[in-house]
Amino acid sequence: MCLNMDYQLEKMLDEGWTERFAQYFLRQINSEKSSPHYKPEDVEWAHQHGFFASHASYYEKVRSIPENYLSDYVYYKTWPHNPWTRIWVNDKLTLKYLLASTEFGKLMPDYYYYTMQSGIRSLIDCPYHGFKFEEFVDLLREKKHFACKPCNGSRSMGFVKMSYIDDVFYLNGKVVSRDSIQEFLFFHPNYIYTQYIVPAEYLRCYGEKIHTIRLIVLNEKGDNPQIVGGYVRFPMDNNGEANYSVLDTNDIVNYNFFVGIDVQTGQFGKAKKVFENHVEDTDVHPETGAVIKGGVEDYASLAEMVLGIARRFNVLQWFGVDIGVTDEGFKCMEINTFPGAGYPQIFSPLLENKDCRQFFMNKMAEIDAMNTKKHSVRKDIKR
């Protein structure tokens, strides 16, 4: 696909884009055009072929077989990839309660509290059934750490580690007062406070913070799910508690650390330092020095659980499942119905899978067949 690069908001909306992602797409390509960190000829080629220059710089074979890579133009234009039922899993609290009392309930971390402007509310795994701050503190003292995150956030934004050890409170490792904890609860409504999970012993050589195994699932017909892509993101100190840095065209120093995973076997390797404008190969973890080679133990069980969730939520056609491996078993941090096309394609082009290719062709054809009225309705979709 070669485009004329005449990207204009009104034109894009008339062609069936949502305003949310038309604006995002335009911001990104305009930022790349003005960035001194890309060669103009590379930006021009990438944008003509529907890719962000950043993503095109990641893909080893994109110049020779661009048709095998899912472009940013197609990926963002065809959002949302699921019907309205995507809110079942995009909202972490809804997801927890939908899976509770099912065979997949054990995949979820323990959920303790939820914050509203009017105060805290105890959740399904909280031993206290009141809404008292003193009980919140008692449970934090017992568990030592809470993972605190927006109920429906993305890109790991807003994640905070809350701790209480030896009568001292901490937020992301910084000593704070008891009053500061109470203020945090008040000023962070729509947050959930859950079990803070740590990696299984055999994976701690790659860092003490939890990793993320993202597996991307396609289930267009609802009865034949398949895992079509994925990666492992291992923690680094500069990524903070969320284990992820949001990069932009002004940040070419920081990077995230990604590792390829064979979605059939669970073996991982081919580690990459992923900067904003390029990737660098490495054989070891940048901070711990551990050699990146191995596999996810009992991966067959993990894959079957992920596919089982896809069968249960069979109205969802495209999503990513974020998993951590703990000594207690697999834990699902979240399910994301817009899991991104950039990072998994560092390791394997998504459109090499014929079903994946057909899925996005169908989405594009569906939008192209819409009349002006339907395009107008699509324009206003927010989440």
Side-chain angles (χ1 to χ4, degrees), residues 163-264:
S163 306
Y164 188 33
I165 303 172
D166 296 330
D167 293 326
V168 179
F169 292 98
Y170 300 86
L171 289 175
N172 282 345
K174 180 181 177 181
V175 176
V176 297
S177 67
R178 181 188 180 95
D179 287 345
S180 295
I181 295 294
Q182 199 157 14
E183 288 173 3
F184 183 91
L185 300 182
F186 179 80
F187 287 110
H188 291 81
N190 196 37
Y191 259 56
I192 54 173
Y193 298 76
T194 75
Q195 174 187 8
Y196 183 85
I197 60 176
V198 297
E201 185 175 359
Y202 77 94
L203 292 173
R204 287 179 200 158
C205 58
Y206 304 120
E208 293 296 321
K209 298 173 186 173
I210 196 65
H211 47 271
T212 299
I213 302 170
R214 172 161 289 185
L215 300 177
I216 298 176
V217 179
L218 173 67
N219 193 23
E220 183 173 14
K221 304 299 182 183
D223 61 353
N224 188 29
Q226 56 181 305
I227 300 171
V228 297
Y231 55 78
V232 184
R233 189 174 72 237
F234 283 119
M236 296 193 307
D237 288 341
N238 69 333
N239 294 147
E241 285 296 335
N243 183 23
Y244 180 68
S245 293
V246 179
L247 307 177
D248 59 40
T249 52
N250 295 315
D251 184 357
I252 60 166
V253 176
N254 290 314
Y255 60 90
N256 291 295
F257 184 61
F258 288 85
V259 175
I261 185 170
D262 184 324
V263 298
Q264 303 303 318

Side-chain angles (χ1 to χ4, degrees), residues 58-59 64 71 83 88 114-115 140 145 170 178-179 203-205 213 230 244 257 268 274 293 356 366:
Y58 299 163
Y59 306 153
S64 58
S71 72
W88 290 352
Y114 173 76
T115 47
L140 179 58
H145 310 288
Y170 300 86
R178 181 188 180 95
D179 287 345
L203 292 173
R204 287 179 200 158
C205 58
I213 302 170
Y244 180 68
F257 184 61
F268 54 75
V274 181
K293 186 177 181 181
C356 198
E366 181 182 327

Side-chain angles (χ1 to χ4, degrees), residues 32 43 46 144-145 155 246 250 257 262 277 285 327 351:
E32 291 178 347
V43 171
K144 293 186 171 54
H145 310 288
R155 303 174 80 182
V246 179
N250 295 315
F257 184 61
D262 184 324
N277 61 353
H285 188 284
D327 287 329
L351 300 190

Side-chain angles (χ1 to χ4, degrees), residues 57 103 115-116 271 330 338 352 358:
S57 73
E103 61 185 301
T115 47
M116 305 169 64
F330 300 114
F338 196 51
E352 283 185 346
Q358 189 62 51

Side-chain angles (χ1 to χ4, degrees), residues 255-309:
Y255 60 90
N256 291 295
F257 184 61
F258 288 85
V259 175
I261 185 170
D262 184 324
V263 298
Q264 303 303 318
T265 67
Q267 294 297 301
F268 54 75
K270 297 182 180 179
K272 310 279 187 180
K273 297 178 181 179
V274 181
F275 296 80
E276 168 63 18
N277 61 353
H278 71 286
V279 298
E280 295 178 5
D281 295 337
T282 180
D283 295 325
V284 300
H285 188 284
E287 292 174 347
T288 71
V291 176
I292 303 296
K293 186 177 181 181
V296 178
E297 293 181 3
D298 199 20
Y299 177 78
S301 294
L302 172 59
E304 185 51 43
M305 282 189 283
V306 168
L307 295 176
I309 289 174

Side-chain angles (χ1 to χ4, degrees), residues 35 45 68 93 107 112 121 125 130 143 148 152 155-156 160 166 173 208 236 257-260 277 294 309 323 349 363:
S35 172
W45 184 93
N68 279 6
L93 190 54
L107 267 177
Y112 303 126
R121 298 291 184 268
D125 299 309
K143 301 298 182 181
C148 319
N152 37 29
R155 303 174 80 182
S156 301
V160 172
D166 296 330
E208 293 296 321
M236 296 193 307
F257 184 61
F258 288 85
V259 175
N277 61 353
I309 289 174
I323 299 288
K363 290 293 181 184

